[in-house]
Amino acid sequence: MDDAGLNTDALMRTLGRRGREAAATLRLAGPEQRTAAIAGMAAAVREAAADILAGNAEDMARARAAGLGAAMLDRLALTPERVEGVAAGLDTVAAIPDPVGAEMARWTRPNGLDIARVRTPIGVIGVIYESRPNVTADAAALCVRAGNAVILRGGSESLSSSLAIHAALEAGLRSAGLPEAAVQIVPTADRGAVGAMLAGLDGNLDLLIPRGGKSLVARVREEARVAVLGHLEGLCHTYVHAAADPDKARALVLNAKMRRTGVCGATETLLIDATAAPRLLPAIADDLRAAGCALRGDGRARALVPGMAEAGEVDWRTEYLDAVLAVRVVDGLDAAVEHVATYGSGHTDAIVTEDAAAAEAWTARVDSAIVLVNASTQFADGGEFGFGAEIGIATDRLHARGPVGAEQLTTFKYVVRGTGQTRP
Amino acid sequence: MDDAGLNTDALMRTLGRRGREAAATLRLAGPEQRTAAIAGMAAAVREAAADILAGNAEDMARARAAGLGAAMLDRLALTPERVEGVAAGLDTVAAIPDPVGAEMARWTRPNGLDIARVRTPIGVIGVIYESRPNVTADAAALCVRAGNAVILRGGSESLSSSLAIHAALEAGLRSAGLPEAAVQIVPTADRGAVGAMLAGLDGNLDLLIPRGGKSLVARVREEARVAVLGHLEGLCHTYVHAAADPDKARALVLNAKMRRTGVCGATETLLIDATAAPRLLPAIADDLRAAGCALRGDGRARALVPGMAEAGEVDWRTEYLDAVLAVRVVDGLDAAVEHVATYGSGHTDAIVTEDAAAAEAWTARVDSAIVLVNASTQFADGGEFGFGAEIGIATDRLHARGPVGAEQLTTFKYVVRGTGQTRP
């Protein structure tokens, strides 16, 4: 290993140790103190706006020199408005009810033992993310809200922006008397840092959250030696059932696809019953095309919508994240459920129907994190669920599924109160 | 790869595919059908008692020929009483409330969206266990209770016993009209089968549960490409606080250590306040020695108990699982909490005190899965918690902590009911 590697390795071990110590303090701090820290972070970000923009200017200059594309540059760019957005996001998290210590359940056994299941922080959480600098603040605040210490590893292209934001987060922690090590950032672009986090920092990392593209999440899933809460992809469906209300169907499909095409809750495939398609599909297609959406359909869909491109197997499997919709005509609910089970990613899937029995069958049989009836798949969002904020949508099945908010960043312990009971 | 390897690989892929199909059926089966299947398993085990004992006789003969130790032979041995015990265990699981479909939470958003968090099965669970043949039935029934398909990989030394029990489990599933593939067993001792399960069976395995010694659990943790719910070790403490009731302290320490020394909830280290030790430790030591327990103490403990062996750093870190107790005199609650944080395994730790403030400080500061006040650490058991049955005690922090019963073998999904809401 070269010197840089050695230094990074030693550095990461130190971050792990300091994170573990800070987690112990944070776990025992009161909710008010955590709230004060997050509110202090918001204030410090507003005070440090100039420094943050200066750091971002350095990142942008490097990115332009490196020839990054327009989309990447836009994700990386900060403006005074976006910095205020970061601070406002922190205010939102400061307002989320503190989950630590909440009693999830409590019961008494025949022998008199009083058993309570109580929420506790997870410990030290690692977040590995890509270019958006605002994740530095969002992720840190949500972890602290749930009583966890966090170690942040952002994209190298946003390092200067992230370091400037991180300095403000530390100031917020100081202002509330909490250890700065509650929120640490990896200050180097050395890729060895990621390897050290995947290896678990000598047992000082309890959970890894990758936030970024499929390749990042897949690598973390494949190589991590610690628990991972990851969002792989959102291949979401909207199914227009035979008994769908026409106006609702038109409004829901248009919103589910086109409100924002780049979010994981955007519908990628429209399934529509053969009995409803002749009535509804042409109008739905007109709405979508008027909004700038390209359509790719199977044979029966194309027969109903002139000029629709042909969709193949690959389209059923593609998360476009773009103004493109795959369309398939199906023969009833069984076929729709089968399609979702075969091609979906278990993220978010909606049915449009006025038939209560069909709605119940859909919610019972579709095994996705979020199953909707007569609502847009774009509601797949922690804020829309009332969580206040989210760090992502989990597509795994264990621990947390769907939007990951402060509650999902906790675990629990059992507190058993007795009066001297021994076990027979 | 040799032929055996190739065959095992193909076999395991098939088990995975069949398990995934069976899980879909099991998930949609009603609670009554799952109950009928488990009750049917119990009846079939009783009917097949002779076959099961014959299979066990083969295992015992092989084990004796291989020169296995007495403890191993006892763990492996089945008697008519033990077979009835297996059937009775199945009756118990059949009586556990079915967790699938239970509403964990439900709320309405300002926009009228009705959001429910509903329990769903995890999917396909792999259980890798060692010699006890009864695990075949316990683990299978608990997985089926929670709507999961299970793939069992028992110890090679118990293969004939496990195959005979498995045949009865299949009969129970058939009797309830559920697919036999809901409970599959790896019919070969080829170690490649474990490797295939660790690799996740082409995505057809959602969770792995290792049940056995530390080396097995550690290997599964290290190599698994799927989520793991594991029990590493139970290095449990009982802390006798200065304000402990003397009689409770004596009864609790004796029970926590000696009721059963081989269970994970057995106390391994006694911590006692320096102010209480002169009064209480001699009597506690007399009780333990009278029960056949060897004592190893630090300097202050040995000064109070003549003939006590010397305990060193290694003792604080040892899960004896035997009639041996490490004893350390500490200077108050802070020191006791510090010792547990340093040497404990986060499993189960108890305080004995009449001081409510000390009890609250203990439950708040000790970050273990189970934290007790004035109760024996031997209560660390799913049955004692009211779960009806358990598949183990989880010492990880994610998804489930502490006793793993039917509820802990489920995940959840969000069911969102709307009336045409689109997202602004």
Side-chain angles (χ1 to χ4, degrees):
Chain A
M1 196 186 288
D2 61 16
D3 285 359
L6 281 168
N7 295 340
T8 300
D9 194 51
L11 166 76
M12 296 308 292
R13 287 168 181 274
T14 306
L15 293 190
R17 273 196 308 276
R18 296 184 64 219
R20 180 63 72 200
E21 289 165 20
T25 308
L26 214 63
R27 180 168 65 85
L28 299 173
E32 304 76 11
Q33 202 175 358
R34 284 187 288 270
T35 300
I38 300 166
M41 292 176 187
V45 163
R46 291 187 171 101
E47 285 164 26
D51 304 348
I52 294 168
L53 290 168
N56 186 246
E58 294 173 25
D59 288 331
M60 292 298 286
R62 269 198 306 276
R64 286 196 196 84
L68 260 65
M72 275 288 270
L73 288 174
D74 179 64
R75 279 219 300 282
L76 183 55
L78 289 177
T79 62
E81 295 66 32
R82 286 186 178 183
V83 172
E84 171 52 32
V86 168
L90 291 166
D91 290 333
T92 305
V93 177
I96 297 174
D98 192 281
V100 179
E103 219 166 67
M104 303 162 71
R106 187 163 183 165
W107 64 97
T108 303
R109 299 289 301 153
N111 60 9
L113 284 181
D114 169 74
I115 304 181
R117 186 188 290 138
V118 179
R119 282 196 193 282
T120 63
I122 288 170
V124 184
I125 297 177
V127 181
I128 302 176
Y129 56 101
E130 290 175 337
S131 57
R132 292 182 197 276
N134 63 297
V135 175
T136 308
D138 298 351
L142 211 50
C143 288
V144 169
R145 172 78 293 169
N148 301 292
V150 62
I151 297 173
L152 302 158
R153 206 288 183 177
S156 53
E157 59 287 343
S158 63
L159 186 54
S160 299
S161 315
S162 296
L163 287 171
I165 292 172
H166 176 254
L169 302 182
E170 285 185 322
L173 289 161
R174 277 197 305 274
S175 71
L178 287 176
E180 291 182 351
V183 178
Q184 299 181 95
I185 189 163
V186 178
T188 165
D190 179 357
R191 293 205 126 286
V194 173
M197 290 174 80
L198 292 171
L201 303 179
D202 310 319
N204 286 325
L205 204 57
D206 299 301
L207 176 67
L208 260 179
I209 300 179
R211 275 198 59 171
K214 267 174 82 166
S215 61
L216 169 69
V217 178
R219 183 196 166 191
V220 170
R221 281 248 188 93
E222 177 61 26
E223 300 180 16
R225 286 280 165 280
V226 292
V228 175
L229 214 50
H231 167 285
L232 204 45
E233 70 178 337
L235 212 165
C236 305
H237 301 78
T238 295
Y239 165 48
V240 176
H241 178 257
D245 173 273
D247 297 334
K248 287 180 187 171
R250 286 177 65 166
L252 286 171
V253 173
L254 182 65
N255 183 264
K257 174 74 252 184
M258 296 302 293
R259 174 189 161 269
R260 281 180 62 190
T261 58
V263 298
C264 60
T267 286
E268 303 291 8
T269 300
L270 167 66
L271 302 170
I272 183 164
D273 270 339
T275 56
R279 258 185 312 123
L280 301 184
L281 188 54
I284 290 171
D286 290 345
D287 296 342
L288 288 163
R289 283 175 165 168
C293 182
L295 303 175
R296 303 181 189 174
D298 68 350
R300 290 194 283 182
R302 298 174 72 212
L304 294 166
V305 180
M308 183 185 281
E310 185 168 4
E313 182 80 6
V314 62
D315 291 286
W316 312 140
R317 299 186 184 280
T318 302
E319 182 186 21
Y320 298 116
L321 296 174
D322 199 356
V324 182
L325 181 69
V327 182
R328 185 175 196 178
V329 174
V330 295
D331 296 310
L333 189 119
D334 291 357
V337 168
E338 178 63 27
H339 180 100
V340 170
T342 305
Y343 301 104
S345 63
H347 190 295
T348 299
D349 299 290
I351 186 174
V352 186
T353 185
E354 299 301 306
D355 176 338
E360 283 315 300
W362 180 259
T363 56
R365 292 174 57 189
V366 173
D367 187 25
S368 300
I370 305 172
V371 187
L372 305 115
V373 177
N374 294 328
S376 170
T377 56
Q378 300 242 356
F379 283 113
D381 171 88
E384 293 298 321
F385 272 55
F387 295 174
E390 69 167 36
I391 199 165
I393 307 266
T395 54
D396 289 319
R397 302 181 66 81
L398 276 289
H399 184 74
R401 256 185 123 186
V404 176
E407 257 188 23
Q408 287 72 28
L409 295 178
T410 62
T411 180
F412 60 82
K413 68 181 174 187
Y414 292 98
V415 175
V416 182
R417 297 177 175 88
T419 53
Q421 285 88 343
T422 56
R423 186 171 173 189
Chain B
M1 196 186 290
D2 62 14
D3 285 0
L6 281 168
N7 296 340
T8 300
D9 194 52
L11 166 75
M12 295 309 292
R13 286 167 182 275
T14 306
L15 293 189
R17 273 195 308 276
R18 296 184 64 220
R20 181 64 72 200
E21 290 165 19
T25 308
L26 214 62
R27 181 167 64 84
L28 299 173
E32 304 76 10
Q33 203 175 358
R34 284 187 289 267
T35 300
I38 300 165
M41 293 176 187
V45 163
R46 291 188 171 101
E47 285 164 26
D51 303 348
I52 293 168
L53 290 168
N56 186 246
E58 294 173 25
D59 289 331
M60 292 298 286
R62 269 199 307 274
R64 287 197 196 83
L68 261 63
M72 275 287 270
L73 288 173
D74 179 63
R75 279 218 299 282
L76 183 56
L78 289 177
T79 63
E81 296 66 32
R82 287 187 178 184
V83 173
E84 171 51 32
V86 168
L90 290 166
D91 290 333
T92 305
V93 176
I96 297 174
D98 191 281
V100 179
E103 219 166 66
M104 303 162 72
R106 186 164 184 166
W107 64 97
T108 303
R109 299 288 300 154
N111 60 10
L113 285 181
D114 169 73
I115 304 181
R117 185 189 290 137
V118 179
R119 282 197 193 281
T120 63
I122 289 170
V124 184
I125 297 177
V127 181
I128 301 176
Y129 56 100
E130 290 175 336
S131 57
R132 291 182 197 277
N134 62 297
V135 175
T136 308
D138 298 351
L142 211 51
C143 287
V144 169
R145 172 78 294 168
N148 301 292
V150 61
I151 297 173
L152 302 158
R153 206 289 183 176
S156 53
E157 58 286 345
S158 63
L159 186 54
S160 298
S161 315
S162 296
L163 287 171
I165 292 172
H166 176 254
L169 303 181
E170 285 185 323
L173 288 161
R174 278 196 305 273
S175 72
L178 287 176
E180 292 181 351
V183 178
Q184 300 181 95
I185 188 164
V186 178
T188 166
D190 179 354
R191 296 204 125 287
V194 172
M197 290 174 81
L198 292 171
L201 303 179
D202 311 318
N204 286 325
L205 205 56
D206 298 301
L207 175 67
L208 259 179
I209 299 178
R211 274 198 58 170
K214 269 175 81 166
S215 60
L216 169 69
V217 178
R219 183 196 167 192
V220 170
R221 281 247 187 90
E222 176 61 25
E223 300 179 18
R225 286 280 165 282
V226 293
V228 175
L229 214 51
H231 167 284
L232 205 44
E233 70 177 338
L235 211 165
C236 306
H237 302 77
T238 295
Y239 166 48
V240 175
H241 178 258
D245 173 273
D247 296 335
K248 288 180 187 171
R250 286 177 65 166
L252 286 171
V253 173
L254 182 65
N255 183 263
K257 175 74 250 184
M258 296 302 293
R259 174 188 161 269
R260 281 180 61 191
T261 58
V263 297
C264 60
T267 286
E268 303 292 7
T269 300
L270 167 65
L271 303 171
I272 184 164
D273 271 338
T275 55
R279 262 186 307 122
L280 302 184
L281 188 53
I284 291 171
D286 289 345
D287 296 343
L288 288 163
R289 283 175 164 168
C293 183
L295 302 174
R296 302 182 189 174
D298 67 352
R300 290 194 284 181
R302 298 174 72 211
L304 293 166
V305 181
M308 183 185 283
E310 185 168 4
E313 182 79 7
V314 62
D315 291 286
W316 312 141
R317 300 185 184 281
T318 301
E319 182 187 22
Y320 298 116
L321 296 175
D322 199 355
V324 181
L325 180 68
V327 183
R328 186 176 195 178
V329 175
V330 294
D331 295 310
L333 190 121
D334 290 358
V337 169
E338 179 62 27
H339 180 100
V340 170
T342 306
Y343 300 105
S345 62
H347 190 294
T348 299
D349 299 290
I351 186 173
V352 186
T353 185
E354 299 301 307
D355 176 338
E360 283 315 299
W362 180 259
T363 56
R365 292 174 57 189
V366 173
D367 187 25
S368 299
I370 304 173
V371 187
L372 305 114
V373 177
N374 294 328
S376 170
T377 57
Q378 299 242 355
F379 282 113
D381 172 88
E384 294 297 322
F385 271 56
F387 296 174
E390 68 166 38
I391 200 165
I393 307 265
T395 54
D396 289 319
R397 301 182 67 80
L398 276 290
H399 185 73
R401 258 184 121 186
V404 176
E407 255 188 24
Q408 287 72 27
L409 295 178
T410 62
T411 180
F412 60 81
K413 68 181 174 187
Y414 293 99
V415 175
V416 182
R417 297 177 176 89
T419 53
Q421 285 88 342
T422 56
R423 184 172 173 189

